[in-house]
PDB file of all heavy atoms in Angstrom:
ATOM      1  N   ALA A  18       0.830  -1.204   0.000  1.00 98.00           N
ATOM      2  CA  ALA A  18       0.000   0.000   0.000  1.00 98.00           C
ATOM      3  C   ALA A  18       0.868   1.258   0.000  1.00 98.00           C
ATOM      4  O   ALA A  18       0.545   2.241  -0.692  1.00 98.00           O
ATOM      5  CB  ALA A  18      -0.922  -0.013   1.217  1.00 98.00           C
ATOM      6  N   ILE A  19       1.965   1.242   0.738  1.00 98.00           N
ATOM      7  CA  ILE A  19       2.876   2.393   0.743  1.00 98.00           C
ATOM      8  C   ILE A  19       3.427   2.641  -0.657  1.00 98.00           C
ATOM      9  O   ILE A  19       3.516   3.787  -1.120  1.00 98.00           O
ATOM     10  CB  ILE A  19       4.016   2.167   1.756  1.00 98.00           C
ATOM     11  CG1 ILE A  19       3.476   2.226   3.184  1.00 98.00           C
ATOM     12  CG2 ILE A  19       5.124   3.203   1.579  1.00 98.00           C
ATOM     13  CD1 ILE A  19       4.477   1.799   4.245  1.00 98.00           C
ATOM     14  N   ALA A  20       3.790   1.555  -1.326  1.00 97.00           N
ATOM     15  CA  ALA A  20       4.324   1.699  -2.685  1.00 97.00           C
ATOM     16  C   ALA A  20       3.281   2.298  -3.628  1.00 97.00           C
ATOM     17  O   ALA A  20       3.620   3.096  -4.522  1.00 97.00           O
ATOM     18  CB  ALA A  20       4.788   0.343  -3.205  1.00 97.00           C
ATOM     19  N   ARG A  21       2.015   1.945  -3.431  1.00 97.00           N
ATOM     20  CA  ARG A  21       0.967   2.418  -4.336  1.00 97.00           C
ATOM     21  C   ARG A  21       0.559   3.867  -4.061  1.00 97.00           C
ATOM     22  O   ARG A  21       0.139   4.566  -4.989  1.00 97.00           O
ATOM     23  CB  ARG A  21      -0.266   1.517  -4.237  1.00 97.00           C
ATOM     24  CG  ARG A  21      -0.041   0.078  -4.692  1.00 97.00           C
ATOM     25  CD  ARG A  21       0.348  -0.016  -6.151  1.00 97.00           C
ATOM     26  NE  ARG A  21       0.599  -1.384  -6.564  1.00 97.00           N
ATOM     27  CZ  ARG A  21      -0.308  -2.178  -7.133  1.00 97.00           C
ATOM     28  NH1 ARG A  21      -1.527  -1.729  -7.355  1.00 97.00           N
ATOM     29  NH2 ARG A  21       0.007  -3.410  -7.478  1.00 97.00           N
ATOM     30  N   VAL A  22       0.636   4.331  -2.819  1.00 97.00           N
ATOM     31  CA  VAL A  22       0.168   5.698  -2.537  1.00 97.00           C
ATOM     32  C   VAL A  22       1.204   6.748  -2.939  1.00 97.00           C
ATOM     33  O   VAL A  22       0.885   7.937  -3.037  1.00 97.00           O
ATOM     34  CB  VAL A  22      -0.206   5.891  -1.051  1.00 97.00           C
ATOM     35  CG1 VAL A  22      -1.333   4.960  -0.659  1.00 97.00           C
ATOM     36  CG2 VAL A  22       0.995   5.735  -0.130  1.00 97.00           C
ATOM     37  N   GLY A  23       2.444   6.346  -3.156  1.00 94.00           N
ATOM     38  CA  GLY A  23       3.464   7.275  -3.594  1.00 94.00           C
ATOM     39  C   GLY A  23       4.105   8.039  -2.449  1.00 94.00           C
ATOM     40  O   GLY A  23       3.876   7.751  -1.274  1.00 94.00           O
ATOM     41  N   THR A  24       4.909   9.037  -2.788  1.00 95.00           N
ATOM     42  CA  THR A  24       5.737   9.731  -1.802  1.00 95.00           C
ATOM     43  C   THR A  24       5.207  11.104  -1.421  1.00 95.00           C
ATOM     44  O   THR A  24       5.836  11.814  -0.630  1.00 95.00           O
ATOM     45  CB  THR A  24       7.168   9.891  -2.347  1.00 95.00           C
ATOM     46  OG1 THR A  24       7.126  10.630  -3.575  1.00 95.00           O
ATOM     47  CG2 THR A  24       7.813   8.526  -2.583  1.00 95.00           C
ATOM     48  N   GLU A  25       4.076  11.518  -1.948  1.00 96.00           N
ATOM     49  CA  GLU A  25       3.507  12.810  -1.603  1.00 96.00           C
ATOM     50  C   GLU A  25       2.987  12.797  -0.161  1.00 96.00           C
ATOM     51  O   GLU A  25       2.676  11.747   0.406  1.00 96.00           O
ATOM     52  CB  GLU A  25       2.368  13.166  -2.559  1.00 96.00           C
ATOM     53  CG  GLU A  25       2.796  13.318  -4.008  1.00 96.00           C
ATOM     54  CD  GLU A  25       3.777  14.467  -4.192  1.00 96.00           C
ATOM     55  OE1 GLU A  25       3.550  15.546  -3.584  1.00 96.00           O
ATOM     56  OE2 GLU A  25       4.765  14.285  -4.923  1.00 96.00           O
ATOM     57  N   ASP A  26       2.890  13.996   0.433  1.00 97.00           N
ATOM     58  CA  ASP A  26       2.327  14.119   1.783  1.00 97.00           C
ATOM     59  C   ASP A  26       0.823  13.868   1.740  1.00 97.00           C
ATOM     60  O   ASP A  26       0.059  14.705   1.219  1.00 97.00           O
ATOM     61  CB  ASP A  26       2.583  15.516   2.344  1.00 97.00           C
ATOM     62  CG  ASP A  26       4.010  15.716   2.808  1.00 97.00           C
ATOM     63  OD1 ASP A  26       4.790  14.753   2.743  1.00 97.00           O
ATOM     64  OD2 ASP A  26       4.334  16.842   3.227  1.00 97.00           O
ATOM     65  N   THR A  27       0.395  12.744   2.252  1.00 98.00           N
ATOM     66  CA  THR A  27      -1.026  12.425   2.330  1.00 98.00           C
ATOM     67  C   THR A  27      -1.303  11.754   3.677  1.00 98.00           C
ATOM     68  O   THR A  27      -0.411  11.144   4.271  1.00 98.00           O
ATOM     69  CB  THR A  27      -1.459  11.461   1.213  1.00 98.00           C
ATOM     70  OG1 THR A  27      -0.714  10.220   1.345  1.00 98.00           O
ATOM     71  CG2 THR A  27      -1.218  12.057  -0.165  1.00 98.00           C
ATOM     72  N   PRO A  28      -2.533  11.845   4.161  1.00 98.00           N
ATOM     73  CA  PRO A  28      -2.883  11.123   5.380  1.00 98.00           C
ATOM     74  C   PRO A  28      -2.612   9.624   5.253  1.00 98.00           C
ATOM     75  O   PRO A  28      -2.159   8.979   6.207  1.00 98.00           O
ATOM     76  CB  PRO A  28      -4.373  11.406   5.552  1.00 98.00           C
ATOM     77  CG  PRO A  28      -4.592  12.703   4.856  1.00 98.00           C
ATOM     78  CD  PRO A  28      -3.653  12.670   3.677  1.00 98.00           C
ATOM     79  N   GLU A  29      -2.873   9.082   4.067  1.00 98.00           N
ATOM     80  CA  GLU A  29      -2.708   7.641   3.866  1.00 98.00           C
ATOM     81  C   GLU A  29      -1.245   7.222   4.044  1.00 98.00           C
ATOM     82  O   GLU A  29      -0.950   6.222   4.718  1.00 98.00           O
ATOM     83  CB  GLU A  29      -3.203   7.241   2.481  1.00 98.00           C
ATOM     84  CG  GLU A  29      -4.706   7.357   2.290  1.00 98.00           C
ATOM     85  CD  GLU A  29      -5.168   8.808   2.055  1.00 98.00           C
ATOM     86  OE1 GLU A  29      -4.309   9.675   1.776  1.00 98.00           O
ATOM     87  OE2 GLU A  29      -6.383   9.047   2.157  1.00 98.00           O
ATOM     88  N   ARG A  30      -0.333   7.989   3.461  1.00 98.00           N
ATOM     89  CA  ARG A  30       1.085   7.634   3.589  1.00 98.00           C
ATOM     90  C   ARG A  30       1.529   7.736   5.052  1.00 98.00           C
ATOM     91  O   ARG A  30       2.245   6.866   5.545  1.00 98.00           O
ATOM     92  CB  ARG A  30       1.953   8.535   2.704  1.00 98.00           C
ATOM     93  CG  ARG A  30       3.445   8.208   2.834  1.00 98.00           C
ATOM     94  CD  ARG A  30       4.308   8.917   1.807  1.00 98.00           C
ATOM     95  NE  ARG A  30       5.733   8.642   2.045  1.00 98.00           N
ATOM     96  CZ  ARG A  30       6.354   7.523   1.677  1.00 98.00           C
ATOM     97  NH1 ARG A  30       5.688   6.576   1.046  1.00 98.00           N
ATOM     98  NH2 ARG A  30       7.640   7.362   1.930  1.00 98.00           N
ATOM     99  N   ALA A  31       1.114   8.789   5.723  1.00 97.00           N
ATOM    100  CA  ALA A  31       1.507   8.961   7.125  1.00 97.00           C
ATOM    101  C   ALA A  31       1.035   7.778   7.969  1.00 97.00           C
ATOM    102  O   ALA A  31       1.812   7.199   8.741  1.00 97.00           O
ATOM    103  CB  ALA A  31       0.937  10.266   7.672  1.00 97.00           C
ATOM    104  N   MET A  32      -0.220   7.392   7.837  1.00 97.00           N
ATOM    105  CA  MET A  32      -0.753   6.313   8.658  1.00 97.00           C
ATOM    106  C   MET A  32      -0.134   4.965   8.297  1.00 97.00           C
ATOM    107  O   MET A  32       0.163   4.154   9.170  1.00 97.00           O
ATOM    108  CB  MET A  32      -2.281   6.265   8.540  1.00 97.00           C
ATOM    109  CG  MET A  32      -2.957   7.442   9.230  1.00 97.00           C
ATOM    110  SD  MET A  32      -4.764   7.301   9.286  1.00 97.00           S
ATOM    111  CE  MET A  32      -5.181   7.621   7.571  1.00 97.00           C
ATOM    112  N   LEU A  33       0.070   4.736   7.009  1.00 97.00           N
ATOM    113  CA  LEU A  33       0.671   3.465   6.592  1.00 97.00           C
ATOM    114  C   LEU A  33       2.090   3.321   7.136  1.00 97.00           C
ATOM    115  O   LEU A  33       2.488   2.241   7.597  1.00 97.00           O
ATOM    116  CB  LEU A  33       0.664   3.347   5.076  1.00 97.00           C
ATOM    117  CG  LEU A  33      -0.699   3.086   4.419  1.00 97.00           C
ATOM    118  CD1 LEU A  33      -0.639   3.353   2.916  1.00 97.00           C
ATOM    119  CD2 LEU A  33      -1.174   1.661   4.701  1.00 97.00           C
ATOM    120  N   LEU A  34       2.875   4.393   7.082  1.00 96.00           N
ATOM    121  CA  LEU A  34       4.239   4.329   7.618  1.00 96.00           C
ATOM    122  C   LEU A  34       4.221   4.020   9.113  1.00 96.00           C
ATOM    123  O   LEU A  34       5.027   3.221   9.601  1.00 96.00           O
ATOM    124  CB  LEU A  34       4.964   5.649   7.353  1.00 96.00           C
ATOM    125  CG  LEU A  34       5.354   5.939   5.908  1.00 96.00           C
ATOM    126  CD1 LEU A  34       5.830   7.398   5.774  1.00 96.00           C
ATOM    127  CD2 LEU A  34       6.443   4.990   5.427  1.00 96.00           C
ATOM    128  N   ALA A  35       3.312   4.669   9.837  1.00 95.00           N
ATOM    129  CA  ALA A  35       3.228   4.439  11.279  1.00 95.00           C
ATOM    130  C   ALA A  35       2.777   3.016  11.581  1.00 95.00           C
ATOM    131  O   ALA A  35       3.303   2.368  12.499  1.00 95.00           O
ATOM    132  CB  ALA A  35       2.277   5.449  11.915  1.00 95.00           C
ATOM    133  N   HIS A  36       1.809   2.512  10.834  1.00 95.00           N
ATOM    134  CA  HIS A  36       1.350   1.126  11.025  1.00 95.00           C
ATOM    135  C   HIS A  36       2.485   0.143  10.758  1.00 95.00           C
ATOM    136  O   HIS A  36       2.637  -0.851  11.470  1.00 95.00           O
ATOM    137  CB  HIS A  36       0.169   0.822  10.107  1.00 95.00           C
ATOM    138  CG  HIS A  36      -1.134   1.352  10.598  1.00 95.00           C
ATOM    139  ND1 HIS A  36      -2.238   0.557  10.812  1.00 95.00           N
ATOM    140  CD2 HIS A  36      -1.523   2.616  10.933  1.00 95.00           C
ATOM    141  CE1 HIS A  36      -3.244   1.284  11.242  1.00 95.00           C
ATOM    142  NE2 HIS A  36      -2.836   2.539  11.316  1.00 95.00           N
ATOM    143  N   LEU A  37       3.266   0.419   9.713  1.00 94.00           N
ATOM    144  CA  LEU A  37       4.372  -0.481   9.383  1.00 94.00           C
ATOM    145  C   LEU A  37       5.389  -0.523  10.520  1.00 94.00           C
ATOM    146  O   LEU A  37       5.896  -1.594  10.871  1.00 94.00           O
ATOM    147  CB  LEU A  37       5.043  -0.024   8.093  1.00 94.00           C
ATOM    148  CG  LEU A  37       6.234  -0.868   7.615  1.00 94.00           C
ATOM    149  CD1 LEU A  37       5.814  -2.306   7.353  1.00 94.00           C
ATOM    150  CD2 LEU A  37       6.843  -0.249   6.352  1.00 94.00           C
ATOM    151  N   ALA A  38       5.690   0.628  11.100  1.00 91.00           N
ATOM    152  CA  ALA A  38       6.656   0.676  12.197  1.00 91.00           C
ATOM    153  C   ALA A  38       6.188  -0.182  13.368  1.00 91.00           C
ATOM    154  O   ALA A  38       6.975  -0.936  13.959  1.00 91.00           O
ATOM    155  CB  ALA A  38       6.874   2.116  12.647  1.00 91.00           C
ATOM    156  N   VAL A  39       4.907  -0.091  13.727  1.00 90.00           N
ATOM    157  CA  VAL A  39       4.387  -0.872  14.851  1.00 90.00           C
ATOM    158  C   VAL A  39       4.376  -2.356  14.531  1.00 90.00           C
ATOM    159  O   VAL A  39       4.756  -3.190  15.356  1.00 90.00           O
ATOM    160  CB  VAL A  39       2.985  -0.379  15.243  1.00 90.00           C
ATOM    161  CG1 VAL A  39       2.332  -1.339  16.232  1.00 90.00           C
ATOM    162  CG2 VAL A  39       3.071   1.011  15.863  1.00 90.00           C
ATOM    163  N   ASP A  40       3.936  -2.713  13.324  1.00 90.00           N
ATOM    164  CA  ASP A  40       3.851  -4.138  12.985  1.00 90.00           C
ATOM    165  C   ASP A  40       5.224  -4.770  12.802  1.00 90.00           C
ATOM    166  O   ASP A  40       5.340  -5.996  12.720  1.00 90.00           O
ATOM    167  CB  ASP A  40       2.988  -4.348  11.742  1.00 90.00           C
ATOM    168  CG  ASP A  40       1.527  -4.596  12.093  1.00 90.00           C
ATOM    169  OD1 ASP A  40       1.255  -4.905  13.260  1.00 90.00           O
ATOM    170  OD2 ASP A  40       0.670  -4.470  11.213  1.00 90.00           O
ATOM    171  N   ARG A  41       6.265  -3.951  12.736  1.00 90.00           N
ATOM    172  CA  ARG A  41       7.623  -4.494  12.690  1.00 90.00           C
ATOM    173  C   ARG A  41       8.343  -4.330  14.037  1.00 90.00           C
ATOM    174  O   ARG A  41       9.570  -4.345  14.098  1.00 90.00           O
ATOM    175  CB  ARG A  41       8.408  -3.794  11.573  1.00 90.00           C
ATOM    176  CG  ARG A  41       8.010  -4.302  10.190  1.00 90.00           C
ATOM    177  CD  ARG A  41       8.651  -3.543   9.056  1.00 90.00           C
ATOM    178  NE  ARG A  41      10.062  -3.250   9.269  1.00 90.00           N
ATOM    179  CZ  ARG A  41      10.828  -2.580   8.404  1.00 90.00           C
ATOM    180  NH1 ARG A  41      10.294  -2.146   7.274  1.00 90.00           N
ATOM    181  NH2 ARG A  41      12.083  -2.351   8.652  1.00 90.00           N
ATOM    182  N   SER A  42       7.577  -4.211  15.115  1.00 83.00           N
ATOM    183  CA  SER A  42       8.172  -3.966  16.429  1.00 83.00           C
ATOM    184  C   SER A  42       9.196  -5.015  16.822  1.00 83.00           C
ATOM    185  O   SER A  42      10.143  -4.720  17.558  1.00 83.00           O
ATOM    186  CB  SER A  42       7.072  -3.909  17.496  1.00 83.00           C
ATOM    187  OG  SER A  42       6.293  -2.755  17.357  1.00 83.00           O
ATOM    188  N   TYR A  43       9.024  -6.244  16.348  1.00 81.00           N
ATOM    189  CA  TYR A  43       9.913  -7.330  16.748  1.00 81.00           C
ATOM    190  C   TYR A  43      10.833  -7.782  15.613  1.00 81.00           C
ATOM    191  O   TYR A  43      11.242  -8.938  15.567  1.00 81.00           O
ATOM    192  CB  TYR A  43       9.094  -8.512  17.272  1.00 81.00           C
ATOM    193  CG  TYR A  43       8.385  -8.196  18.574  1.00 81.00           C
ATOM    194  CD1 TYR A  43       7.056  -7.798  18.574  1.00 81.00           C
ATOM    195  CD2 TYR A  43       9.059  -8.266  19.788  1.00 81.00           C
ATOM    196  CE1 TYR A  43       6.403  -7.488  19.767  1.00 81.00           C
ATOM    197  CE2 TYR A  43       8.423  -7.961  20.967  1.00 81.00           C
ATOM    198  CZ  TYR A  43       7.098  -7.571  20.950  1.00 81.00           C
ATOM    199  OH  TYR A  43       6.469  -7.258  22.135  1.00 81.00           O
ATOM    200  N   ASP A  44      11.167  -6.854  14.723  1.00 79.00           N
ATOM    201  CA  ASP A  44      12.044  -7.237  13.614  1.00 79.00           C
ATOM    202  C   ASP A  44      13.522  -7.170  13.983  1.00 79.00           C
ATOM    203  O   ASP A  44      14.384  -7.532  13.176  1.00 79.00           O
ATOM    204  CB  ASP A  44      11.765  -6.387  12.376  1.00 79.00           C
ATOM    205  CG  ASP A  44      12.118  -4.910  12.559  1.00 79.00           C
ATOM    206  OD1 ASP A  44      12.603  -4.537  13.645  1.00 79.00           O
ATOM    207  OD2 ASP A  44      11.893  -4.125  11.618  1.00 79.00           O
ATOM    208  N   GLY A  45      13.831  -6.713  15.195  1.00 74.00           N
ATOM    209  CA  GLY A  45      15.224  -6.639  15.635  1.00 74.00           C
ATOM    210  C   GLY A  45      16.005  -5.499  15.019  1.00 74.00           C
ATOM    211  O   GLY A  45      17.222  -5.436  15.167  1.00 74.00           O
ATOM    212  N   GLU A  46      15.311  -4.585  14.348  1.00 76.00           N
ATOM    213  CA  GLU A  46      15.993  -3.498  13.645  1.00 76.00           C
ATOM    214  C   GLU A  46      15.356  -2.150  13.998  1.00 76.00           C
ATOM    215  O   GLU A  46      14.714  -1.512  13.154  1.00 76.00           O
ATOM    216  CB  GLU A  46      15.942  -3.723  12.138  1.00 76.00           C
ATOM    217  CG  GLU A  46      16.648  -4.998  11.683  1.00 76.00           C
ATOM    218  CD  GLU A  46      16.565  -5.206  10.190  1.00 76.00           C
ATOM    219  OE1 GLU A  46      15.446  -5.372   9.671  1.00 76.00           O
ATOM    220  OE2 GLU A  46      17.628  -5.181   9.542  1.00 76.00           O
ATOM    221  N   PRO A  47      15.520  -1.684  15.229  1.00 73.00           N
ATOM    222  CA  PRO A  47      14.894  -0.405  15.613  1.00 73.00           C
ATOM    223  C   PRO A  47      15.384   0.765  14.785  1.00 73.00           C
ATOM    224  O   PRO A  47      14.653   1.745  14.599  1.00 73.00           O
ATOM    225  CB  PRO A  47      15.300  -0.263  17.086  1.00 73.00           C
ATOM    226  CG  PRO A  47      16.520  -1.115  17.247  1.00 73.00           C
ATOM    227  CD  PRO A  47      16.302  -2.273  16.317  1.00 73.00           C
ATOM    228  N   GLU A  48      16.605   0.662  14.269  1.00 75.00           N
ATOM    229  CA  GLU A  48      17.138   1.754  13.466  1.00 75.00           C
ATOM    230  C   GLU A  48      16.371   1.915  12.152  1.00 75.00           C
ATOM    231  O   GLU A  48      16.435   2.972  11.515  1.00 75.00           O
ATOM    232  CB  GLU A  48      18.624   1.535  13.177  1.00 75.00           C
ATOM    233  CG  GLU A  48      18.947   0.374  12.251  1.00 75.00           C
ATOM    234  CD  GLU A  48      18.892  -0.994  12.935  1.00 75.00           C
ATOM    235  OE1 GLU A  48      18.659  -1.045  14.162  1.00 75.00           O
ATOM    236  OE2 GLU A  48      19.086  -2.014  12.226  1.00 75.00           O
ATOM    237  N   ARG A  49      15.626   0.884  11.747  1.00 82.00           N
ATOM    238  CA  ARG A  49      14.784   0.985  10.556  1.00 82.00           C
ATOM    239  C   ARG A  49      13.369   1.433  10.922  1.00 82.00           C
ATOM    240  O   ARG A  49      12.685   2.065  10.108  1.00 82.00           O
ATOM    241  CB  ARG A  49      14.720  -0.356   9.822  1.00 82.00           C
ATOM    242  CG  ARG A  49      16.047  -0.805   9.221  1.00 82.00           C
ATOM    243  CD  ARG A  49      15.888  -2.133   8.502  1.00 82.00           C
ATOM    244  NE  ARG A  49      14.925  -2.055   7.405  1.00 82.00           N
ATOM    245  CZ  ARG A  49      14.474  -3.117   6.745  1.00 82.00           C
ATOM    246  NH1 ARG A  49      14.896  -4.332   7.076  1.00 82.00           N
ATOM    247  NH2 ARG A  49      13.611  -2.974   5.756  1.00 82.00           N
ATOM    248  N   ARG A  50      12.914   1.137  12.122  1.00 84.00           N
ATOM    249  CA  ARG A  50      11.559   1.527  12.520  1.00 84.00           C
ATOM    250  C   ARG A  50      11.461   3.014  12.831  1.00 84.00           C
ATOM    251  O   ARG A  50      10.467   3.660  12.495  1.00 84.00           O
ATOM    252  CB  ARG A  50      11.106   0.723  13.752  1.00 84.00           C
ATOM    253  CG  ARG A  50      10.961  -0.757  13.512  1.00 84.00           C
ATOM    254  CD  ARG A  50      10.178  -1.419  14.618  1.00 84.00           C
ATOM    255  NE  ARG A  50      10.745  -1.228  15.939  1.00 84.00           N
ATOM    256  CZ  ARG A  50      11.676  -2.010  16.480  1.00 84.00           C
ATOM    257  NH1 ARG A  50      12.172  -3.027  15.771  1.00 84.00           N
ATOM    258  NH2 ARG A  50      12.119  -1.789  17.699  1.00 84.00           N
ATOM    259  N   ARG A  51      12.473   3.550  13.502  1.00 84.00           N
ATOM    260  CA  ARG A  51      12.385   4.941  13.932  1.00 84.00           C
ATOM    261  C   ARG A  51      12.207   5.910  12.755  1.00 84.00           C
ATOM    262  O   ARG A  51      11.348   6.808  12.812  1.00 84.00           O
ATOM    263  CB  ARG A  51      13.605   5.316  14.769  1.00 84.00           C
ATOM    264  CG  ARG A  51      13.517   6.728  15.329  1.00 84.00           C
ATOM    265  CD  ARG A  51      14.735   7.064  16.153  1.00 84.00           C
ATOM    266  NE  ARG A  51      14.770   6.349  17.402  1.00 84.00           N
ATOM    267  CZ  ARG A  51      14.090   6.712  18.487  1.00 84.00           C
ATOM    268  NH1 ARG A  51      13.288   7.759  18.444  1.00 84.00           N
ATOM    269  NH2 ARG A  51      14.190   6.028  19.593  1.00 84.00           N
TER     270      ARG A  51
END
């Protein structure tokens, strides 16, 4: 979904990025989540 919404400032991109960070909480790579 992030790839499809593009890189412009939109509510959808903001929420998708935040959701991705949370759903990767246990990926062992906090430097990628922040």
Side-chain angles (χ1 to χ4, degrees):
I19 290 171
R21 296 298 178 94
V22 299
T24 59
E25 297 297 317
D26 284 357
T27 61
E29 292 78 14
R30 179 170 176 80
M32 289 187 287
L33 287 165
L34 289 170
H36 281 237
L37 180 60
V39 170
D40 268 344
R41 284 174 43 181
S42 290
Y43 293 97
D44 66 1
E46 298 179 297
E48 68 281 357
R49 294 181 61 190
R50 295 195 303 273
R51 184 180 289 279

